[in-house]
Amino acid sequence: MGKAMFDRQLVKGHMVKHLYKHILGWPIMFNDLKDIDEEYYNSLKGLKDMGADVEYVGVDFTVMEETMGVKRTVELVPCGADIDVTEDNLPEYIEACLKYRMLGRYEDQLNELLLGFFDVIPEPLLTIFDFQELELLMCGLPEIDMEDWQQNTEYSGEYDREGPNHEVCVWFWEIVTEYDHEMKARLLQFVTGT
């Protein structure tokens, strides 16, 4: 990837958002987990919402991992099997789960990826980019499905009743459809923040 970037060649596949953050040395946040495993994210979030009742779930500081059909228990912290999750230590449990799921599972592979990348592109040169700009630099503009965008747009205010059939919304979509690829991507990033 670093060589492709150095040679100004686009990488065909897009990586998950948190890998760009790893490359830039940005912190990984709890919401980043939602991008790779929404069910797991919702489970952890559900534990947060349980309050004091979390103690009755019977969770400890371990996770079950299956690799090629072989299951094994991974301790998230030293002696994790002996530590029950309580309301008091729930934040530490969630942080340990996040670190393991986003880094610990493939720490060796990630370290090799970063070492190879930084062999070609020095890390200080990347400090001017955010993770979205790095993705754009490495992979180019993604293809934007206008039909999907229109179908998944939520309207509010006076546009709520008529939605995409409101005269102003029809005009908006006519203009956006005429935009070039870059302008569509900029608009989409502006309105969604992604």
Side-chain angles (χ1 to χ4, degrees):
M1 290 185 317
K3 177 76 167 114
M5 190 173 169
F6 183 80
D7 291 339
R8 297 182 182 176
Q9 299 296 314
L10 296 179
V11 176
K12 293 250 186 221
H14 291 263
M15 298 185 297
V16 289
K17 177 173 67 174
H18 73 92
L19 285 179
Y20 296 107
K21 288 184 169 186
H22 279 304
I23 291 171
L24 294 171
W26 285 26
I28 304 301
M29 307 304 287
F30 182 65
N31 286 340
D32 293 327
L33 183 58
K34 188 175 185 179
D35 295 334
I36 63 164
D37 192 341
E38 190 168 357
E39 185 178 336
Y40 189 65
Y41 167 83
N42 288 331
S43 296
L44 291 176
K45 197 171 177 195
L47 288 176
K48 286 170 76 173
D49 298 338
M50 291 181 76
D53 292 339
V54 74
E55 297 175 25
Y56 301 114
V57 178
V59 179
D60 57 21
F61 276 72
T62 63
V63 292
M64 184 62 68
E65 194 63 44
E66 183 174 344
T67 307
M68 300 180 73
V70 177
K71 291 184 180 183
R72 66 184 178 95
T73 301
V74 177
E75 292 190 337
L76 299 172
V77 297
C79 302
D82 300 326
I83 304 171
D84 291 328
V85 175
T86 65
E87 186 177 18
D88 293 334
N89 66 12
L90 182 60
E92 290 83 14
Y93 173 74
I94 291 175
E95 183 178 345
C97 287
L98 178 68
K99 283 182 179 178
Y100 177 73
R101 186 59 71 108
M102 304 293 272
L103 176 64
R105 272 176 129 177
Y106 40 79
E107 187 173 8
D108 294 339
Q109 295 89 334
L110 183 60
N111 285 338
E112 293 302 318
L113 173 83
L114 294 177
L115 287 171
F117 191 90
F118 295 140
D119 270 353
V120 180
I121 305 289
E123 190 173 0
L125 294 179
L126 300 174
T127 58
I128 61 171
F129 301 111
D130 67 19
F131 67 91
Q132 294 162 327
E133 293 168 333
L134 181 61
E135 179 181 24
L136 188 60
L137 186 64
M138 292 175 66
C139 304
L141 291 171
E143 193 62 39
I144 296 172
D145 184 346
M146 288 300 298
E147 188 175 310
D148 181 59
W149 186 1
Q150 289 176 20
Q151 289 174 355
N152 291 292
T153 296
E154 294 179 13
Y155 299 91
S156 62
E158 67 180 84
Y159 309 107
D160 192 29
R161 276 183 283 117
E162 295 182 49
N165 298 322
H166 191 284
E167 183 180 34
V168 173
C169 296
V170 171
W171 293 339
F172 173 80
W173 289 117
E174 284 176 5
I175 290 177
V176 171
T177 303
E178 293 175 8
Y179 281 175
D180 65 12
H181 198 61
E182 181 182 355
M183 285 298 292
K184 288 178 187 174
R186 287 179 184 218
L187 177 63
L188 184 61
Q189 182 177 6
F190 174 75
V191 297
T192 63
T194 59

